[in-house]
């Protein structure tokens, strides 16, 4: 069913639907932000854990090299070699064809920290060629050559090299002083770094980063290792990494051999957790949006079924009731809620309205019968005023049968028309001004008017009584009464003339009688007539 714009049903649907859609939008935005933030933090924690694990693996590798170099340094053959007693020790143990230690560089330093001898299996067959970038003076003056085994990293053009050094002593260290130091060097080539990264659960690029890292939003954390010392882990947050699809470029900063600057190892960790979560997040949001839209639709249907539709039906019934009360006898009020009580109240009002309507019909019929049974002509008018509230005309509202017969016009034809159009003789200033004065003064008015102002001819008695914004005029035909009054007036006039004639004759007789009495007096005769009774 179509809903009218501006109706309560339309407004409720608009407000509820808009509120639900707004909630859905806010929910989706917040959900997207929360999921992105949560999985971004999870990915950052995993990356930190991977880099920490890599540093631990590297520290474990350094510890393993320390044990190995310490074992070799505590051989009596190595001690004797530094004392000049086993000249073939270096060739017998560290040349490429017999090198079982797996080292890329072997250095011997005497007690004064001068380079005694070295061999570089990494440069085979030029084993006596020092690798490029290895600074012997820097190693000799560094903390690497100490009374206890030490390990550190140096940077060379071929890559990072892990150095492990141990003092050279006899198998029983208490039996003599140190004969110098044995240093093992192992290049951390990309394959070796990748192998160590796999142990840590990540993939490694195998190349040092430049000194200036790309992302400004770096996450940094520091761990303390027992062999390599303090290690700083740095990587860009997933929220500040525009190339997150390509992985996370992290770095592990070690304290260098000379304690000057820093030593970087680049680690490229995959962002699998974050990327998979973001991919699934989109599906979750799409499904959530579909679910919310479905919930909005279901909610709207439920609200429409239980709230707006009953209200709309009640509104329709009330409109029918107001336009045609007889067309509806009762509104469904079986619901036990506010709408049911409202319908019950409407039914009560409807019953009262129908009863009052029947009473009004009976009263109107009674009034019409009274009016139609009256011999007088009765007309009721509404006032018609101009912009200045001055009465300029009267509009016919009611006329009875006597008035219809008097003016030869039906009430149906005359209702709603103006006095000036229906009864122009009554609209003349002499009569209309009287009507206007009665309405303005709220005082009843009576007067009689001859047939000169009305048709049919005759005499009429007018009674004008104001009511609210109108006037009730009662017209009574007094033509017969006027005729009888005229005839009676003529009779009275004739009687007056007869009386006048009779009175003159009597006076003349009295005068004659007086004259007879006077003549008899002159003859000395007694009066014949007694005229004193006439005086």
């Amino acid at each position: 069913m179509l809903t009218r714009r501006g109706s309560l049903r339309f407004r409720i649907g608009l407000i509820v639907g808009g509120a639900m859609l707004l909630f859905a939008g806010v929910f989706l935005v917040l959900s997207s932000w929360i999921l992105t933030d949560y999985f971004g933090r999870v990915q950052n924690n995993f990356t930190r854990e991977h880099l920490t694990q890599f540093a631990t693996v590297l520290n474990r590798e350094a510890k393993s090299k320390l044990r190995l170099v310490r074992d070799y340094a505590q051989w009596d053959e190595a001690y004797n070699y530094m004392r000049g007693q086993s000249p073939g020790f270096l060739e017998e143990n560290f040349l490429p064809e017999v090198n079982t230690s797996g080292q890329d560089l072997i250095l011997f330093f005497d007690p004064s920290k001068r380079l005694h001898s070295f061999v570089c299996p990494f440069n085979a067959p030029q084993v006596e060629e020092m690798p490029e970038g290895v600074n012997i003076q820097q190693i000799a003056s560094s903390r690497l050559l100490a009374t206890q085994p030490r390990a550190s990293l140096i940077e060379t053009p071929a890559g990072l090299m892990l150095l492990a050094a141990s003092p050279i002593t006899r198998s029983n260290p208490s039996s003599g002083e140190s004969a110098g130091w044995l240093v093992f060097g192992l290049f951390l080539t990309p394959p070796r770094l990748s192998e160590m990264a796999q142990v840590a659960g990540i993939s490694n690029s195998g190349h040092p980063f430049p000194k200036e890292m790309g992302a400004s939003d770096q996450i940094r954390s520091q761990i303390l290792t027992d062999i390599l010392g303090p290690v700083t882990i740095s990587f860009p947050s997933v929220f500040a990494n525009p190339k997150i699809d390509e992985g996370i470029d992290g770095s592990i900063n070690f304290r260098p051999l000379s304690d000057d600057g820093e030593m970087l190892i680049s680690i490229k960790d995959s962002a699998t957790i974050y990327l998979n979560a973001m991919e699934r997040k989109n599906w979750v949001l799409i499904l959530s949006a579909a679910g919310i839209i479905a919930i909005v639709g279901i909610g709207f249907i439920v609200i429409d079924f239980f709230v707006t539709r009953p209200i709309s039906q009640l509104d329709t019934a009330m409109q029918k009731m107001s336009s045609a009360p007889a067309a509806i006898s009762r509104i469904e009020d079986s619901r036990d809620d506010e709408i049911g009580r409202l319908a019950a109240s409407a039914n009560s009002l409807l019953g009262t309205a129908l009863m009052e309507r029947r009473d009004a019909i009976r009263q109107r019929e009674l009034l019409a019968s009274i009016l139609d049974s009256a011999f007088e002509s009765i007309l009721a008018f509404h006032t018609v005023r101009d912009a200045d509230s001055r009465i300029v005309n009267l509009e016919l509202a009611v006329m009875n049968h006597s008035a219809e017969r008097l003016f030869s016009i039906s009430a149906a034809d005359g209702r709603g028309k103006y006095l000036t159009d229906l009864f122009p003789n009554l609209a003349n200033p002499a009569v209309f001004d009287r009507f206007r004065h009665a309405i303005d003064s709220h005082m009843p008015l009576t007067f009689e008017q001859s047939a000169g102002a009305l048709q049919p001819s005759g005499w009429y008695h007018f009674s004008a009584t104001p009511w609210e914004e109108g006037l009730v005029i009662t017209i009574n035909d007094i033509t017969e009464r006027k005729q009888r009054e005229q005839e009676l007036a003529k009779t009275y006039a004739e009687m007056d003339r007869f009386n006048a004639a009779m009175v003159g004759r009597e006076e003349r007789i009295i005068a004659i009688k007086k004259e007879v009495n006077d003549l008899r007096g002159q003859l000395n005769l007694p009066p014949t007539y007694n005229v004193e009774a006439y005086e």
Side-chain angles (χ1 to χ4, degrees), residues 132-434:
E132 183 180 0
V134 177
N135 191 331
I136 297 301
Q137 287 77 16
Q138 183 182 22
I139 295 175
S141 60
S142 69
R143 55 184 170 78
L144 190 64
L145 303 183
T147 58
Q148 297 295 328
R150 293 285 182 87
S152 185
L153 293 170
I154 62 172
E155 187 176 355
T156 69
L160 295 178
M161 176 178 283
L162 174 61
L163 297 179
S166 177
I168 300 174
T169 61
R170 292 187 180 277
S171 56
N172 182 9
S174 61
S175 60
E177 296 181 353
S178 171
W181 288 270
L182 174 60
V183 179
F184 282 173
L186 179 68
F187 281 107
L188 299 180
T189 59
R192 286 174 178 168
L193 289 176
S194 297
E195 182 180 352
M196 296 170 64
Q198 289 176 3
V199 175
I202 57 179
S203 59
N204 175 49
S205 64
H207 298 282
F209 277 114
K211 298 299 181 180
E212 296 294 334
M213 301 292 291
S216 59
D217 186 9
Q218 291 286 318
I219 297 178
R220 299 179 183 273
S221 61
Q222 192 175 67
I223 59 175
L224 184 63
T225 61
D226 56 349
I227 303 300
L228 297 177
V231 178
T232 302
I233 296 172
S234 301
F235 62 94
S237 171
V238 294
F239 305 116
N241 192 348
K243 298 181 179 180
I244 190 67
D245 295 342
E246 300 176 4
I248 301 174
D249 294 326
S251 66
I252 302 177
N253 302 6
F254 294 92
R255 186 174 65 179
L257 188 64
S258 60
D259 292 333
D260 185 18
E262 59 184 5
M263 195 69 61
L264 298 179
I265 295 180
S266 65
I267 303 294
K268 182 178 287 292
D269 191 12
S270 63
T272 306
I273 295 177
Y274 181 77
L275 294 177
N276 290 340
M278 291 303 98
E279 181 180 356
R280 286 165 176 75
K281 179 202 74 172
N282 295 333
W283 284 105
V284 169
L285 294 179
I286 291 174
L287 294 177
S288 300
I292 291 174
I293 292 174
I295 292 174
V296 169
I298 295 173
F300 182 78
I301 292 174
V302 171
I303 293 174
D304 180 70
F305 182 79
F306 288 102
V307 180
T308 57
R309 181 176 297 177
I311 293 176
S312 178
Q313 292 172 350
L314 182 62
D315 174 63
T316 302
M318 294 295 289
Q319 290 181 0
K320 290 181 179 179
M321 181 193 304
S322 62
S323 60
I328 181 171
S329 60
R330 184 174 179 81
I331 300 174
E332 177 63 33
D333 58 354
S334 59
R335 294 169 61 102
D336 187 18
D337 54 13
E338 290 80 359
I339 296 177
R341 291 191 289 272
L342 184 61
S345 300
N347 286 329
S348 177
L349 291 176
L350 176 60
T352 303
L354 290 176
M355 185 179 300
E356 293 178 352
R357 182 174 181 271
R358 287 192 291 267
D359 292 341
I361 291 175
R362 287 195 294 268
Q363 292 291 336
R364 187 164 57 249
E365 292 175 350
L366 177 62
L367 178 61
S369 63
I370 293 174
L371 291 176
D372 291 337
S373 63
F375 291 103
E376 294 85 358
S377 299
I378 301 175
L379 303 96
F381 293 91
H382 293 294
T383 57
V384 178
R385 298 179 181 270
D386 59 9
D388 297 328
S389 297
R390 186 173 181 272
I391 299 174
V392 295
N393 213 330
L394 295 175
E395 179 184 335
L396 180 63
V398 176
M399 66 186 303
N400 65 351
H401 290 334
S402 297
E404 291 178 340
R405 290 191 297 269
L406 177 62
F407 294 102
S408 300
I409 184 174
S410 66
D413 294 337
R415 188 177 296 112
K417 295 183 179 179
Y418 291 153
L419 176 69
T420 54
D421 299 329
L422 293 174
F423 319 116
N425 291 330
L426 292 179
N428 69 77
V431 178
F432 188 77
D433 287 345
R434 292 182 179 183

Side-chain angles (χ1 to χ4, degrees), residues 11-75:
R11 290 197 296 270
I12 289 177
L14 185 64
I15 293 173
V16 173
M20 288 186 174
L21 290 178
L22 178 62
F23 168 77
V26 173
F27 173 79
L28 291 177
V29 171
L30 289 179
S31 299
S32 176
W33 180 80
I34 291 173
L35 290 175
T36 302
D37 181 75
Y38 173 76
F39 285 105
R41 293 178 183 275
V42 170
Q43 182 63 62
N44 288 337
N45 291 335
F46 267 86
T47 301
R48 181 188 294 109
E49 183 64 25
H50 287 168
L51 295 180
T52 301
Q53 186 66 23
F54 183 86
T56 303
V57 170
L58 187 59
N59 183 76
R60 192 161 55 241
E61 181 70 17
K63 184 182 295 187
S64 173
K65 295 303 177 185
L66 279 180
R67 286 196 296 268
L68 182 62
V69 73
R70 184 181 56 195
D71 291 344
Y72 274 90
Q74 290 180 355
W75 283 2

